[in-house]
Amino acid sequence: MKRLILANLVLGAWLMISPFILQLLYRRGFTVTWVDVIFGFSIAVISLGRLFSYTSEDVMMMDWVVTIFGVLTIINPLLYNYYGVTLARLNNLLIGGAVCLFAIYLDWKDSDRPV
């Protein structure tokens, strides 16, 4: 379970720094993916809080918030089309999908656990 939380933490950190790396490859990289810094920071910080949270209500709420940020990460390139920067679109779809799947699985496993 902690591995999935750490995976979400790492994915959030990657999403946070990916616009800067993409700027090296594409001139418009940062201008189309600047919101990834905000989404990545949010995913990383909430996952870090989830790592040290012990109450079940906090855990379930944090999993849902991470899931929402994962869905927003998936929806963002579909709404804005990222102006033809396909690497940025693919990055967001893969990272957002993985974050969503991990958070939903963690929420499902935590709901099966007795209180």
Side-chain angles (χ1 to χ4, degrees):
M1 297 282 279
K2 289 197 184 242
R3 288 182 184 172
L4 291 178
I5 299 169
L6 285 173
N8 271 350
L9 179 67
V10 169
L11 289 173
W14 167 252
L15 191 63
M16 190 169 41
I17 64 169
S18 66
F20 300 105
I21 294 173
L22 197 61
Q23 178 70 26
L24 298 173
L25 301 174
Y26 297 100
R27 297 193 130 210
R28 313 177 287 189
F30 189 78
T31 58
V32 296
T33 59
W34 63 270
V35 77
D36 290 346
V37 175
I38 298 167
F39 290 162
F41 180 77
S42 301
I43 291 169
V45 167
I46 293 169
S47 295
L48 186 66
R50 165 75 166 87
L51 196 60
F52 297 110
S53 179
Y54 295 107
T55 63
S56 62
E57 294 169 1
D58 290 341
V59 166
M60 293 194 60
M61 182 58 92
M62 287 182 188
D63 288 339
W64 278 108
V65 172
V66 170
T67 304
I68 290 169
F69 276 112
V71 169
L72 288 173
T73 304
I74 292 171
I75 291 174
N76 197 31
L78 300 176
L79 285 178
Y80 297 114
N81 193 22
Y82 277 8
Y83 306 109
V85 183
T86 57
L87 186 62
R89 185 181 313 126
L90 184 64
N91 181 50
N92 274 28
L93 293 175
L94 290 176
I95 299 297
V99 166
C100 281
L101 287 176
F102 293 161
I104 289 170
Y105 180 76
L106 285 168
D107 187 44
W108 175 64
K109 290 304 269 184
D110 287 336
S111 67
D112 287 345
R113 215 185 305 174
V115 179

